[in-house]
Amino acid sequence: MRRLNSTPHHTSGFVLVGFLEWPRLEMALLVVVSIFYILTLSGNSAIILLSRLDPKLHTPMYFFLANLSFLDLCYTTSTVPQMLINIQSHKRSISYVGCIAQLFIFLGLGSTECVLLSIMAFDRYVAICQPLRYTAAMHSTLCQQLAAVAWITGFSNSLVQTVLTSLLPRCGKYQIENFFCEVPAMLQLSCVDTWVNEVEMYAAVVVIKVIPLGLILFSYINIVRAVIRIQSSDGRKKAFHTCGSHLLVVIMFYGSAISGYAYMAPKSSSAKLKGKLLALFYGLMTPMLNPLIYTLRNKDVKAAVKKILGREQEQGWNLA
């Protein structure tokens, strides 16, 4: 078994420990993560292309879904390739600049997704609770402004936390107990009291995660009330079906992300493993499952796929 002390010391960077203590697990993860990453890239890219190519999908719902898919593409790409390289080459090093950049991008994208999910819940609220005003209310300019708010808010939070984390003295500590650079793992490297950073981090959790989650709950409470008043059973099923996919994504993302803070400073070896696997879940599994959840039972997306595939077949026959 490979030992931590066999990893070379990097004075100008960090060592991503990852799953070094579990070499057999790493070999299995190499295959699994590679497959999941390919599925993530293909699934989210397909949603982006479909939302651009099919005019029927030029709606606020699919505009925000395309934003979510693009976000998930960047989210996984900010960590997974580095992880795969580390497992294959057994080199755990990442430069200081690379680590700070990864921290900033990953945290910024994760924060943006929290806000974007609340905006998507608001979109469903307007669509179901105020259907006659939906087209006028959720116009393209407002959708673009709301998406911009999500991205600006997310990366503003990331900028503050990244700067505060990077200023902490490490006193020779360089082994990050994760497979990517994130705030909780970086705080463990500090040789001074980090209570200010922890207070700021939990305050950011309230602003970026708890408040958007509250807005999501508020939206769905009103959605449920509106759906109950629908007399048609088909209408109720359609309304719940429209919101079901988004609600499932919210549960997966928030559940895994918030649970990750329970392992912010793991003591035992098993707790470290659980924390890393949880980070792997919200860093890879959720972005991979998002396109599947939104498309498996979505008639609009299925129709768009058939339409585009049929068009390509006709073009192929004409060329033949």
Short mmCIF file of all heavy atoms in Angstrom, two decimals, residues 36-48 63-81 105-106 108-117 120 151 155 245-246 249-250 252-254 256 280-294:
data_model
loop_
_atom_site.label_atom_id
_atom_site.label_comp_id
_atom_site.label_asym_id
_atom_site.label_seq_id
_atom_site.Cartn_x
_atom_site.Cartn_y
_atom_site.Cartn_z
N PHE A 36 -18.59 8.04 -15.66
CA PHE A 36 -19.54 9.07 -15.21
C PHE A 36 -19.20 10.44 -15.82
O PHE A 36 -20.11 11.21 -16.15
CB PHE A 36 -19.54 9.16 -13.69
CG PHE A 36 -20.28 8.04 -13.02
CD1 PHE A 36 -20.87 7.03 -13.77
CD2 PHE A 36 -20.39 7.98 -11.64
CE1 PHE A 36 -21.55 5.99 -13.15
CE2 PHE A 36 -21.07 6.95 -11.01
CZ PHE A 36 -21.65 5.95 -11.77
N TYR A 37 -17.92 10.71 -15.95
CA TYR A 37 -17.52 12.01 -16.52
C TYR A 37 -17.92 12.11 -17.99
O TYR A 37 -18.41 13.15 -18.44
CB TYR A 37 -16.02 12.19 -16.36
CG TYR A 37 -15.50 13.53 -16.84
CD1 TYR A 37 -16.08 14.71 -16.39
CD2 TYR A 37 -14.44 13.62 -17.73
CE1 TYR A 37 -15.61 15.95 -16.81
CE2 TYR A 37 -13.96 14.84 -18.16
CZ TYR A 37 -14.55 16.00 -17.70
OH TYR A 37 -14.09 17.22 -18.13
N ILE A 38 -17.74 11.02 -18.73
CA ILE A 38 -18.16 10.99 -20.14
C ILE A 38 -19.67 11.18 -20.24
O ILE A 38 -20.17 11.93 -21.10
CB ILE A 38 -17.72 9.68 -20.81
CG1 ILE A 38 -16.19 9.62 -20.90
CG2 ILE A 38 -18.34 9.55 -22.20
CD1 ILE A 38 -15.66 8.29 -21.38
N LEU A 39 -20.42 10.50 -19.36
CA LEU A 39 -21.88 10.65 -19.36
C LEU A 39 -22.29 12.08 -19.00
O LEU A 39 -23.25 12.62 -19.56
CB LEU A 39 -22.50 9.67 -18.37
CG LEU A 39 -22.40 8.18 -18.72
CD1 LEU A 39 -22.95 7.32 -17.58
CD2 LEU A 39 -23.14 7.88 -20.02
N THR A 40 -21.56 12.68 -18.07
CA THR A 40 -21.85 14.07 -17.68
C THR A 40 -21.64 15.02 -18.85
O THR A 40 -22.48 15.88 -19.13
CB THR A 40 -20.96 14.49 -16.51
OG1 THR A 40 -21.19 13.62 -15.40
CG2 THR A 40 -21.25 15.92 -16.08
N LEU A 41 -20.52 14.86 -19.55
CA LEU A 41 -20.22 15.71 -20.69
C LEU A 41 -21.25 15.54 -21.80
O LEU A 41 -21.76 16.52 -22.36
CB LEU A 41 -18.82 15.41 -21.23
CG LEU A 41 -17.64 15.72 -20.31
CD1 LEU A 41 -16.32 15.34 -20.99
CD2 LEU A 41 -17.61 17.20 -19.93
N SER A 42 -21.56 14.29 -22.13
CA SER A 42 -22.49 14.03 -23.25
C SER A 42 -23.91 14.46 -22.90
O SER A 42 -24.60 15.08 -23.72
CB SER A 42 -22.45 12.55 -23.63
OG SER A 42 -22.76 11.74 -22.51
N GLY A 43 -24.37 14.14 -21.68
CA GLY A 43 -25.74 14.47 -21.30
C GLY A 43 -25.99 15.96 -21.22
O GLY A 43 -26.98 16.46 -21.78
N ASN A 44 -25.11 16.69 -20.57
CA ASN A 44 -25.30 18.13 -20.43
C ASN A 44 -25.08 18.86 -21.76
O ASN A 44 -25.76 19.85 -22.05
CB ASN A 44 -24.38 18.68 -19.35
CG ASN A 44 -24.83 18.32 -17.95
OD1 ASN A 44 -25.80 18.86 -17.43
ND2 ASN A 44 -24.13 17.38 -17.32
N SER A 45 -24.13 18.38 -22.56
CA SER A 45 -23.92 18.98 -23.89
C SER A 45 -25.15 18.79 -24.77
O SER A 45 -25.53 19.69 -25.53
CB SER A 45 -22.69 18.36 -24.56
OG SER A 45 -21.52 18.62 -23.82
N ALA A 46 -25.79 17.61 -24.65
CA ALA A 46 -26.99 17.34 -25.45
C ALA A 46 -28.11 18.30 -25.09
O ALA A 46 -28.82 18.80 -25.98
CB ALA A 46 -27.43 15.89 -25.24
N ILE A 47 -28.28 18.58 -23.80
CA ILE A 47 -29.34 19.51 -23.38
C ILE A 47 -29.08 20.91 -23.92
O ILE A 47 -29.99 21.61 -24.38
CB ILE A 47 -29.45 19.52 -21.84
CG1 ILE A 47 -30.08 18.22 -21.36
CG2 ILE A 47 -30.28 20.72 -21.37
CD1 ILE A 47 -30.27 18.15 -19.87
N ILE A 48 -27.83 21.35 -23.86
CA ILE A 48 -27.49 22.68 -24.37
C ILE A 48 -27.77 22.77 -25.88
O ILE A 48 -28.36 23.74 -26.36
CB ILE A 48 -26.01 23.00 -24.08
CG1 ILE A 48 -25.78 23.09 -22.57
CG2 ILE A 48 -25.59 24.31 -24.75
CD1 ILE A 48 -24.33 23.22 -22.17
N PHE A 63 -34.17 27.66 -20.96
CA PHE A 63 -33.06 28.62 -20.88
C PHE A 63 -32.29 28.41 -19.59
O PHE A 63 -31.05 28.33 -19.58
CB PHE A 63 -33.60 30.05 -20.96
CG PHE A 63 -32.57 31.10 -20.64
CD1 PHE A 63 -31.62 31.47 -21.58
CD2 PHE A 63 -32.55 31.70 -19.39
CE1 PHE A 63 -30.66 32.43 -21.28
CE2 PHE A 63 -31.59 32.68 -19.09
CZ PHE A 63 -30.65 33.04 -20.04
N PHE A 64 -33.03 28.29 -18.47
CA PHE A 64 -32.36 28.07 -17.19
C PHE A 64 -31.76 26.67 -17.12
O PHE A 64 -30.71 26.47 -16.51
CB PHE A 64 -33.36 28.27 -16.04
CG PHE A 64 -33.82 29.69 -15.88
CD1 PHE A 64 -35.18 30.01 -15.88
CD2 PHE A 64 -32.90 30.71 -15.73
CE1 PHE A 64 -35.59 31.32 -15.73
CE2 PHE A 64 -33.32 32.04 -15.58
CZ PHE A 64 -34.67 32.33 -15.58
N LEU A 65 -32.43 25.69 -17.74
CA LEU A 65 -31.89 24.33 -17.76
C LEU A 65 -30.59 24.28 -18.55
O LEU A 65 -29.65 23.57 -18.15
CB LEU A 65 -32.92 23.38 -18.36
CG LEU A 65 -32.52 21.90 -18.42
CD1 LEU A 65 -32.15 21.39 -17.04
CD2 LEU A 65 -33.66 21.07 -19.02
N ALA A 66 -30.50 25.03 -19.64
CA ALA A 66 -29.26 25.09 -20.42
C ALA A 66 -28.15 25.74 -19.60
O ALA A 66 -26.99 25.32 -19.65
CB ALA A 66 -29.49 25.85 -21.72
N ASN A 67 -28.50 26.76 -18.82
CA ASN A 67 -27.53 27.39 -17.92
C ASN A 67 -27.04 26.39 -16.88
O ASN A 67 -25.84 26.32 -16.58
CB ASN A 67 -28.17 28.59 -17.21
CG ASN A 67 -27.91 29.89 -17.92
OD1 ASN A 67 -26.97 30.60 -17.63
ND2 ASN A 67 -28.77 30.21 -18.88
N LEU A 68 -27.97 25.59 -16.34
CA LEU A 68 -27.60 24.58 -15.35
C LEU A 68 -26.68 23.52 -15.97
O LEU A 68 -25.71 23.08 -15.34
CB LEU A 68 -28.86 23.92 -14.78
CG LEU A 68 -28.65 22.83 -13.74
CD1 LEU A 68 -27.98 23.40 -12.49
CD2 LEU A 68 -29.97 22.15 -13.38
N SER A 69 -26.96 23.13 -17.20
CA SER A 69 -26.14 22.13 -17.88
C SER A 69 -24.74 22.66 -18.16
O SER A 69 -23.74 21.95 -17.97
CB SER A 69 -26.80 21.69 -19.19
OG SER A 69 -28.02 21.02 -18.94
N PHE A 70 -24.65 23.90 -18.60
CA PHE A 70 -23.34 24.51 -18.84
C PHE A 70 -22.56 24.63 -17.53
O PHE A 70 -21.35 24.37 -17.48
CB PHE A 70 -23.50 25.89 -19.47
CG PHE A 70 -22.21 26.64 -19.66
CD1 PHE A 70 -21.30 26.25 -20.63
CD2 PHE A 70 -21.90 27.72 -18.85
CE1 PHE A 70 -20.10 26.93 -20.79
CE2 PHE A 70 -20.71 28.41 -19.00
CZ PHE A 70 -19.81 28.00 -19.99
N LEU A 71 -23.27 24.99 -16.48
CA LEU A 71 -22.65 25.11 -15.16
C LEU A 71 -22.11 23.75 -14.71
O LEU A 71 -20.98 23.65 -14.21
CB LEU A 71 -23.68 25.64 -14.17
CG LEU A 71 -23.24 26.03 -12.76
CD1 LEU A 71 -24.16 27.10 -12.21
CD2 LEU A 71 -23.27 24.82 -11.82
N ASP A 72 -22.90 22.69 -14.91
CA ASP A 72 -22.48 21.35 -14.50
C ASP A 72 -21.28 20.87 -15.31
O ASP A 72 -20.42 20.14 -14.78
CB ASP A 72 -23.63 20.37 -14.63
CG ASP A 72 -24.66 20.51 -13.52
OD1 ASP A 72 -24.31 21.06 -12.46
OD2 ASP A 72 -25.82 20.09 -13.71
N LEU A 73 -21.23 21.23 -16.58
CA LEU A 73 -20.07 20.88 -17.40
C LEU A 73 -18.79 21.48 -16.82
O LEU A 73 -17.77 20.80 -16.68
CB LEU A 73 -20.27 21.38 -18.84
CG LEU A 73 -21.19 20.58 -19.75
CD1 LEU A 73 -21.35 21.29 -21.09
CD2 LEU A 73 -20.65 19.17 -19.97
N CYS A 74 -18.86 22.75 -16.49
CA CYS A 74 -17.69 23.43 -15.91
C CYS A 74 -17.40 22.92 -14.51
O CYS A 74 -16.23 22.79 -14.11
CB CYS A 74 -17.93 24.94 -15.88
SG CYS A 74 -18.23 25.69 -17.49
N TYR A 75 -18.44 22.61 -13.76
CA TYR A 75 -18.34 22.16 -12.37
C TYR A 75 -17.51 20.88 -12.28
O TYR A 75 -16.57 20.78 -11.49
CB TYR A 75 -19.75 21.94 -11.85
CG TYR A 75 -19.89 21.74 -10.36
CD1 TYR A 75 -19.50 22.72 -9.47
CD2 TYR A 75 -20.47 20.58 -9.85
CE1 TYR A 75 -19.67 22.56 -8.10
CE2 TYR A 75 -20.64 20.40 -8.49
CZ TYR A 75 -20.23 21.39 -7.62
OH TYR A 75 -20.40 21.23 -6.27
N THR A 76 -17.84 19.89 -13.11
CA THR A 76 -17.12 18.63 -13.08
C THR A 76 -15.73 18.77 -13.70
O THR A 76 -14.76 18.17 -13.22
CB THR A 76 -17.90 17.54 -13.82
OG1 THR A 76 -18.22 17.99 -15.14
CG2 THR A 76 -19.18 17.20 -13.10
N THR A 77 -15.62 19.57 -14.76
CA THR A 77 -14.34 19.72 -15.45
C THR A 77 -13.31 20.42 -14.57
O THR A 77 -12.10 20.26 -14.77
CB THR A 77 -14.54 20.49 -16.77
OG1 THR A 77 -15.49 19.79 -17.57
CG2 THR A 77 -13.24 20.61 -17.54
N SER A 78 -13.76 21.19 -13.59
CA SER A 78 -12.82 21.90 -12.71
C SER A 78 -12.10 20.96 -11.75
O SER A 78 -11.07 21.34 -11.18
CB SER A 78 -13.56 22.98 -11.92
OG SER A 78 -14.48 22.41 -11.01
N THR A 79 -12.60 19.73 -11.56
CA THR A 79 -11.99 18.82 -10.59
C THR A 79 -11.68 17.43 -11.13
O THR A 79 -10.64 16.86 -10.81
CB THR A 79 -12.91 18.65 -9.36
OG1 THR A 79 -14.18 18.13 -9.80
CG2 THR A 79 -13.14 19.98 -8.66
N VAL A 80 -12.58 16.88 -11.94
CA VAL A 80 -12.46 15.46 -12.34
C VAL A 80 -11.20 15.18 -13.17
O VAL A 80 -10.50 14.19 -12.89
CB VAL A 80 -13.73 15.00 -13.08
CG1 VAL A 80 -13.54 13.59 -13.64
CG2 VAL A 80 -14.92 15.02 -12.13
N PRO A 81 -10.87 15.95 -14.21
CA PRO A 81 -9.64 15.65 -14.97
C PRO A 81 -8.40 15.60 -14.09
O PRO A 81 -7.55 14.71 -14.27
CB PRO A 81 -9.58 16.80 -15.99
CG PRO A 81 -11.00 17.22 -16.18
CD PRO A 81 -11.61 17.07 -14.82
N ILE A 105 -12.98 28.50 -8.85
CA ILE A 105 -13.93 28.07 -9.89
C ILE A 105 -14.96 27.09 -9.32
O ILE A 105 -16.17 27.25 -9.53
CB ILE A 105 -13.17 27.44 -11.07
CG1 ILE A 105 -12.31 28.50 -11.76
CG2 ILE A 105 -14.15 26.82 -12.07
CD1 ILE A 105 -11.37 27.93 -12.81
N PHE A 106 -14.49 26.08 -8.58
CA PHE A 106 -15.41 25.08 -8.04
C PHE A 106 -16.41 25.69 -7.07
O PHE A 106 -17.62 25.41 -7.15
CB PHE A 106 -14.60 23.97 -7.35
CG PHE A 106 -15.44 22.83 -6.85
CD1 PHE A 106 -15.88 21.84 -7.72
CD2 PHE A 106 -15.79 22.73 -5.51
CE1 PHE A 106 -16.65 20.78 -7.27
CE2 PHE A 106 -16.57 21.68 -5.06
CZ PHE A 106 -17.00 20.70 -5.93
N GLY A 108 -17.24 28.87 -6.89
CA GLY A 108 -18.09 29.81 -7.61
C GLY A 108 -19.21 29.12 -8.35
O GLY A 108 -20.37 29.57 -8.33
N LEU A 109 -18.91 28.00 -9.00
CA LEU A 109 -19.93 27.25 -9.74
C LEU A 109 -20.94 26.61 -8.79
O LEU A 109 -22.14 26.61 -9.06
CB LEU A 109 -19.26 26.19 -10.61
CG LEU A 109 -18.41 26.72 -11.77
CD1 LEU A 109 -17.60 25.61 -12.40
CD2 LEU A 109 -19.30 27.38 -12.83
N GLY A 110 -20.45 26.07 -7.67
CA GLY A 110 -21.37 25.48 -6.70
C GLY A 110 -22.30 26.52 -6.10
O GLY A 110 -23.50 26.27 -5.92
N SER A 111 -21.77 27.70 -5.79
CA SER A 111 -22.60 28.79 -5.25
C SER A 111 -23.62 29.27 -6.29
O SER A 111 -24.78 29.55 -5.97
CB SER A 111 -21.71 29.95 -4.81
OG SER A 111 -20.78 29.54 -3.84
N THR A 112 -23.18 29.34 -7.54
CA THR A 112 -24.07 29.77 -8.61
C THR A 112 -25.23 28.79 -8.78
O THR A 112 -26.38 29.20 -8.99
CB THR A 112 -23.30 29.88 -9.94
OG1 THR A 112 -22.25 30.84 -9.79
CG2 THR A 112 -24.22 30.32 -11.07
N GLU A 113 -24.94 27.49 -8.64
CA GLU A 113 -26.00 26.50 -8.80
C GLU A 113 -27.06 26.64 -7.71
O GLU A 113 -28.25 26.45 -7.98
CB GLU A 113 -25.41 25.09 -8.79
CG GLU A 113 -26.44 24.01 -9.02
CD GLU A 113 -25.86 22.70 -9.50
OE1 GLU A 113 -24.66 22.65 -9.83
OE2 GLU A 113 -26.62 21.71 -9.57
N CYS A 114 -26.64 26.97 -6.49
CA CYS A 114 -27.61 27.17 -5.42
C CYS A 114 -28.61 28.27 -5.78
O CYS A 114 -29.83 28.11 -5.62
CB CYS A 114 -26.89 27.54 -4.13
SG CYS A 114 -25.88 26.23 -3.42
N VAL A 115 -28.09 29.39 -6.26
CA VAL A 115 -28.96 30.52 -6.61
C VAL A 115 -29.79 30.18 -7.85
O VAL A 115 -30.98 30.51 -7.93
CB VAL A 115 -28.11 31.79 -6.86
CG1 VAL A 115 -29.02 32.97 -7.19
CG2 VAL A 115 -27.26 32.11 -5.64
N LEU A 116 -29.17 29.52 -8.82
CA LEU A 116 -29.88 29.18 -10.06
C LEU A 116 -31.04 28.23 -9.80
O LEU A 116 -32.12 28.37 -10.41
CB LEU A 116 -28.90 28.56 -11.06
CG LEU A 116 -29.46 28.27 -12.46
CD1 LEU A 116 -29.94 29.55 -13.13
CD2 LEU A 116 -28.40 27.59 -13.32
N LEU A 117 -30.87 27.29 -8.89
CA LEU A 117 -31.96 26.37 -8.56
C LEU A 117 -33.15 27.10 -7.95
O LEU A 117 -34.31 26.75 -8.18
CB LEU A 117 -31.46 25.28 -7.62
CG LEU A 117 -30.54 24.22 -8.24
CD1 LEU A 117 -30.01 23.29 -7.16
CD2 LEU A 117 -31.26 23.42 -9.32
N MET A 120 -34.94 28.79 -10.79
CA MET A 120 -35.74 27.81 -11.54
C MET A 120 -37.03 27.47 -10.80
O MET A 120 -38.07 27.24 -11.43
CB MET A 120 -34.91 26.56 -11.79
CG MET A 120 -33.71 26.79 -12.71
SD MET A 120 -32.62 25.35 -12.86
CE MET A 120 -33.62 24.28 -13.89
N TRP A 151 -24.94 34.03 -11.49
CA TRP A 151 -23.50 33.89 -11.75
C TRP A 151 -22.69 34.92 -10.96
O TRP A 151 -21.65 34.59 -10.38
CB TRP A 151 -23.22 34.02 -13.25
CG TRP A 151 -23.63 32.82 -14.04
CD1 TRP A 151 -24.85 32.60 -14.61
CD2 TRP A 151 -22.84 31.66 -14.34
NE1 TRP A 151 -24.88 31.38 -15.25
CE2 TRP A 151 -23.66 30.79 -15.10
CE3 TRP A 151 -21.54 31.29 -14.04
CZ2 TRP A 151 -23.19 29.56 -15.56
CZ3 TRP A 151 -21.07 30.06 -14.49
CH2 TRP A 151 -21.90 29.21 -15.24
N PHE A 155 -20.01 33.82 -7.90
CA PHE A 155 -18.57 34.07 -7.98
C PHE A 155 -18.12 35.20 -7.06
O PHE A 155 -16.94 35.26 -6.71
CB PHE A 155 -18.18 34.34 -9.43
CG PHE A 155 -17.97 33.08 -10.23
CD1 PHE A 155 -19.01 32.50 -10.93
CD2 PHE A 155 -16.74 32.44 -10.23
CE1 PHE A 155 -18.84 31.32 -11.63
CE2 PHE A 155 -16.55 31.27 -10.94
CZ PHE A 155 -17.60 30.70 -11.64
N SER A 245 -39.01 16.96 -11.47
CA SER A 245 -37.59 16.83 -11.84
C SER A 245 -36.74 17.86 -11.11
O SER A 245 -35.68 17.53 -10.56
CB SER A 245 -37.44 17.02 -13.36
OG SER A 245 -38.16 16.03 -14.07
N HIS A 246 -37.21 19.10 -11.08
CA HIS A 246 -36.46 20.15 -10.40
C HIS A 246 -36.35 19.88 -8.91
O HIS A 246 -35.28 20.06 -8.31
CB HIS A 246 -37.14 21.51 -10.64
CG HIS A 246 -36.49 22.63 -9.89
ND1 HIS A 246 -37.00 23.10 -8.70
CD2 HIS A 246 -35.37 23.37 -10.14
CE1 HIS A 246 -36.24 24.08 -8.26
NE2 HIS A 246 -35.25 24.27 -9.11
N VAL A 249 -33.69 17.24 -8.19
CA VAL A 249 -32.35 17.80 -8.32
C VAL A 249 -32.00 18.64 -7.09
O VAL A 249 -30.87 18.57 -6.58
CB VAL A 249 -32.25 18.65 -9.61
CG1 VAL A 249 -30.95 19.46 -9.62
CG2 VAL A 249 -32.33 17.77 -10.84
N VAL A 250 -32.96 19.42 -6.61
CA VAL A 250 -32.73 20.24 -5.41
C VAL A 250 -32.39 19.37 -4.22
O VAL A 250 -31.45 19.65 -3.46
CB VAL A 250 -33.97 21.10 -5.12
CG1 VAL A 250 -33.87 21.75 -3.73
CG2 VAL A 250 -34.12 22.19 -6.18
N MET A 252 -31.13 16.30 -4.13
CA MET A 252 -29.82 15.67 -4.28
C MET A 252 -28.70 16.67 -4.04
O MET A 252 -27.75 16.40 -3.29
CB MET A 252 -29.68 15.06 -5.68
CG MET A 252 -30.47 13.81 -5.91
SD MET A 252 -29.88 12.93 -7.38
CE MET A 252 -29.81 14.25 -8.57
N PHE A 253 -28.80 17.83 -4.66
CA PHE A 253 -27.72 18.80 -4.58
C PHE A 253 -27.57 19.36 -3.17
O PHE A 253 -26.49 19.35 -2.59
CB PHE A 253 -27.94 19.94 -5.57
CG PHE A 253 -26.88 20.99 -5.53
CD1 PHE A 253 -25.67 20.79 -6.17
CD2 PHE A 253 -27.08 22.18 -4.85
CE1 PHE A 253 -24.67 21.76 -6.12
CE2 PHE A 253 -26.10 23.16 -4.80
CZ PHE A 253 -24.89 22.95 -5.44
N TYR A 254 -28.67 19.84 -2.61
CA TYR A 254 -28.60 20.45 -1.28
C TYR A 254 -28.31 19.41 -0.21
O TYR A 254 -27.56 19.68 0.74
CB TYR A 254 -29.91 21.18 -0.96
CG TYR A 254 -29.96 22.59 -1.47
CD1 TYR A 254 -30.49 22.88 -2.72
CD2 TYR A 254 -29.46 23.64 -0.71
CE1 TYR A 254 -30.53 24.17 -3.20
CE2 TYR A 254 -29.50 24.93 -1.17
CZ TYR A 254 -30.04 25.20 -2.42
OH TYR A 254 -30.08 26.49 -2.89
N SER A 256 -26.55 16.57 -0.40
CA SER A 256 -25.14 16.16 -0.39
C SER A 256 -24.22 17.32 -0.03
O SER A 256 -23.24 17.14 0.71
CB SER A 256 -24.75 15.59 -1.76
OG SER A 256 -24.96 16.56 -2.78
N LEU A 280 -17.31 13.61 -3.68
CA LEU A 280 -17.34 13.03 -5.03
C LEU A 280 -18.77 12.96 -5.55
O LEU A 280 -19.01 13.17 -6.75
CB LEU A 280 -16.73 11.63 -5.00
CG LEU A 280 -16.53 10.93 -6.35
CD1 LEU A 280 -15.54 11.70 -7.21
CD2 LEU A 280 -16.05 9.50 -6.14
N PHE A 281 -19.72 12.72 -4.66
CA PHE A 281 -21.12 12.62 -5.07
C PHE A 281 -21.62 13.97 -5.59
O PHE A 281 -22.16 14.05 -6.69
CB PHE A 281 -21.98 12.15 -3.90
CG PHE A 281 -23.44 11.99 -4.25
CD1 PHE A 281 -23.89 10.82 -4.84
CD2 PHE A 281 -24.34 13.01 -4.01
CE1 PHE A 281 -25.24 10.67 -5.17
CE2 PHE A 281 -25.68 12.88 -4.34
CZ PHE A 281 -26.13 11.70 -4.92
N TYR A 282 -21.45 15.03 -4.78
CA TYR A 282 -21.99 16.31 -5.24
C TYR A 282 -21.10 16.98 -6.28
O TYR A 282 -21.52 17.91 -6.96
CB TYR A 282 -22.29 17.27 -4.07
CG TYR A 282 -21.11 17.78 -3.27
CD1 TYR A 282 -20.25 18.74 -3.78
CD2 TYR A 282 -20.90 17.34 -1.97
CE1 TYR A 282 -19.18 19.23 -3.02
CE2 TYR A 282 -19.84 17.83 -1.21
CZ TYR A 282 -18.99 18.77 -1.74
OH TYR A 282 -17.94 19.26 -1.00
N GLY A 283 -19.86 16.47 -6.43
CA GLY A 283 -19.00 17.02 -7.46
C GLY A 283 -19.12 16.33 -8.80
O GLY A 283 -18.72 16.89 -9.83
N LEU A 284 -19.68 15.10 -8.83
CA LEU A 284 -19.76 14.35 -10.08
C LEU A 284 -21.13 13.72 -10.30
O LEU A 284 -21.70 13.85 -11.38
CB LEU A 284 -18.69 13.25 -10.09
CG LEU A 284 -18.67 12.34 -11.33
CD1 LEU A 284 -18.39 13.15 -12.58
CD2 LEU A 284 -17.64 11.24 -11.17
N MET A 285 -21.65 13.02 -9.29
CA MET A 285 -22.90 12.28 -9.48
C MET A 285 -24.08 13.20 -9.80
O MET A 285 -24.85 12.93 -10.72
CB MET A 285 -23.21 11.47 -8.22
CG MET A 285 -22.32 10.25 -8.04
SD MET A 285 -22.63 9.00 -9.32
CE MET A 285 -24.29 8.51 -8.88
N THR A 286 -24.22 14.28 -9.02
CA THR A 286 -25.36 15.18 -9.26
C THR A 286 -25.32 15.82 -10.64
O THR A 286 -26.34 15.82 -11.34
CB THR A 286 -25.40 16.27 -8.17
OG1 THR A 286 -25.49 15.65 -6.89
CG2 THR A 286 -26.59 17.19 -8.36
N PRO A 287 -24.18 16.34 -11.11
CA PRO A 287 -24.15 16.88 -12.48
C PRO A 287 -24.43 15.82 -13.55
O PRO A 287 -24.98 16.14 -14.61
CB PRO A 287 -22.71 17.41 -12.62
CG PRO A 287 -22.30 17.72 -11.23
CD PRO A 287 -22.94 16.66 -10.39
N MET A 288 -24.07 14.55 -13.28
CA MET A 288 -24.33 13.50 -14.25
C MET A 288 -25.82 13.15 -14.29
O MET A 288 -26.39 12.89 -15.35
CB MET A 288 -23.52 12.26 -13.92
CG MET A 288 -23.66 11.13 -14.94
SD MET A 288 -23.30 9.50 -14.28
CE MET A 288 -24.71 9.21 -13.21
N LEU A 289 -26.45 13.14 -13.12
CA LEU A 289 -27.85 12.73 -13.03
C LEU A 289 -28.82 13.83 -13.47
O LEU A 289 -29.94 13.54 -13.87
CB LEU A 289 -28.18 12.30 -11.60
CG LEU A 289 -27.49 11.02 -11.11
CD1 LEU A 289 -27.80 10.80 -9.63
CD2 LEU A 289 -27.94 9.83 -11.93
N ASN A 290 -28.40 15.09 -13.38
CA ASN A 290 -29.29 16.20 -13.73
C ASN A 290 -29.91 16.06 -15.12
O ASN A 290 -31.14 16.15 -15.26
CB ASN A 290 -28.56 17.53 -13.61
CG ASN A 290 -28.42 17.98 -12.16
OD1 ASN A 290 -28.95 17.35 -11.26
ND2 ASN A 290 -27.69 19.05 -11.94
N PRO A 291 -29.12 15.85 -16.19
CA PRO A 291 -29.75 15.73 -17.51
C PRO A 291 -30.66 14.51 -17.62
O PRO A 291 -31.68 14.56 -18.32
CB PRO A 291 -28.55 15.62 -18.47
CG PRO A 291 -27.40 15.23 -17.63
CD PRO A 291 -27.65 15.83 -16.29
N LEU A 292 -30.31 13.41 -16.94
CA LEU A 292 -31.17 12.23 -16.98
C LEU A 292 -32.50 12.51 -16.30
O LEU A 292 -33.57 12.12 -16.80
CB LEU A 292 -30.47 11.05 -16.29
CG LEU A 292 -29.20 10.51 -16.97
CD1 LEU A 292 -28.57 9.42 -16.11
CD2 LEU A 292 -29.51 10.00 -18.36
N ILE A 293 -32.46 13.17 -15.16
CA ILE A 293 -33.68 13.46 -14.42
C ILE A 293 -34.60 14.38 -15.23
O ILE A 293 -35.82 14.19 -15.26
CB ILE A 293 -33.33 14.12 -13.07
CG1 ILE A 293 -32.63 13.10 -12.17
CG2 ILE A 293 -34.58 14.67 -12.39
CD1 ILE A 293 -32.05 13.69 -10.90
N TYR A 294 -34.00 15.36 -15.91
CA TYR A 294 -34.81 16.33 -16.64
C TYR A 294 -35.31 15.81 -17.98
O TYR A 294 -36.23 16.38 -18.57
CB TYR A 294 -34.01 17.61 -16.88
CG TYR A 294 -34.05 18.58 -15.72
CD1 TYR A 294 -32.95 18.76 -14.89
CD2 TYR A 294 -35.20 19.31 -15.44
CE1 TYR A 294 -32.98 19.65 -13.84
CE2 TYR A 294 -35.25 20.19 -14.39
CZ TYR A 294 -34.14 20.35 -13.58
OH TYR A 294 -34.18 21.23 -12.52
#
